[in-house]
Amino acid sequence: MTTPNESGPLLDAASPLPPDIEAADEPTRVPLAIEDWLTVIIMGALALITFANVLVRYFTDSSFAWTEEFSVFLMIMLALVAGSAAVARDRHIRIEYFSENGSMARRKRLAQFGALMIAILFTLIGALSIRMVWDDYRFDETTPGIGLPAWWYSIWLPVVSFAIALRAVGLMIRRGRKEYRSDAKNPGGKGDAS
């Protein structure tokens, strides 16, 4: 059973593609492979750490205390890296009733507005978390599990937050440059973006 091809324009990466067409990433200045490889590395590290802990618990009735601390850190990093990939690929959460209705010019402005809001949010998170990193460093905070300096973990929040903000700015610029066909559902060609 085949599904009919959509005849309307595709504004973003969240729009469905026919099953015979592979999804392709938009060209970006910074390769999307960075997030892809970081995801693979983090998932591999999580799997190895968890598997080692399971083996140690099974054979010795004790566990590696450090695995929980690293696992929590790696899961947070995985969420941030995946968020960066989602923003760069325009796969972030949106309310389709608003983002998929209306003229193409309106949809284009909403796509740019969404990317701008993401950029502002993660710039604020990055800027505010710098203070947290400074406090961790200045007061010699250590982690409760194994006593590592806390800033070793917290330094990555502003770094990845600023990376996500930059990906959002790049998405906003790409959405501003992109030309869209007129909406097939919109008779008379209203909403052409020029």
Side-chain angles (χ1 to χ4, degrees), residues 11-12 90 92 94 106-116 171-172 175 180:
L11 176 63
D12 58 17
D90 197 17
H92 52 83
R94 71 188 96 233
R106 178 180 174 270
R107 293 167 68 181
K108 181 178 179 177
R109 285 191 306 270
L110 281 176
Q112 288 180 297
F113 178 73
L116 176 65
L171 177 65
M172 185 178 64
R175 289 297 171 255
Y180 298 105

Side-chain angles (χ1 to χ4, degrees), residues 61-111:
D61 291 332
S62 64
S63 69
F64 291 145
W66 56 270
T67 59
E68 181 181 354
E69 193 170 291
F70 282 145
S71 294
V72 168
F73 167 71
L74 288 174
M75 282 194 239
I76 292 169
M77 284 301 296
L78 182 64
L80 290 170
V81 169
S84 177
V87 167
R89 289 185 169 101
D90 197 17
R91 295 268 186 189
H92 52 83
I93 296 172
R94 71 188 96 233
I95 300 172
E96 289 182 4
Y97 178 78
F98 296 111
S99 68
E100 299 295 324
N101 288 325
S103 69
M104 290 309 293
R106 178 180 174 270
R107 293 167 68 181
K108 181 178 179 177
R109 285 191 306 270
L110 281 176

Side-chain angles (χ1 to χ4, degrees), residues 126-141 150-152 154-155 158:
L128 294 173
S129 63
I130 289 173
R131 175 66 187 261
M132 179 185 67
V133 174
W134 173 245
D135 286 346
D136 286 347
Y137 179 77
R138 182 174 53 157
F139 295 118
D140 291 326
E141 292 286 328
W151 68 269
W152 288 7
S154 59
I155 189 70

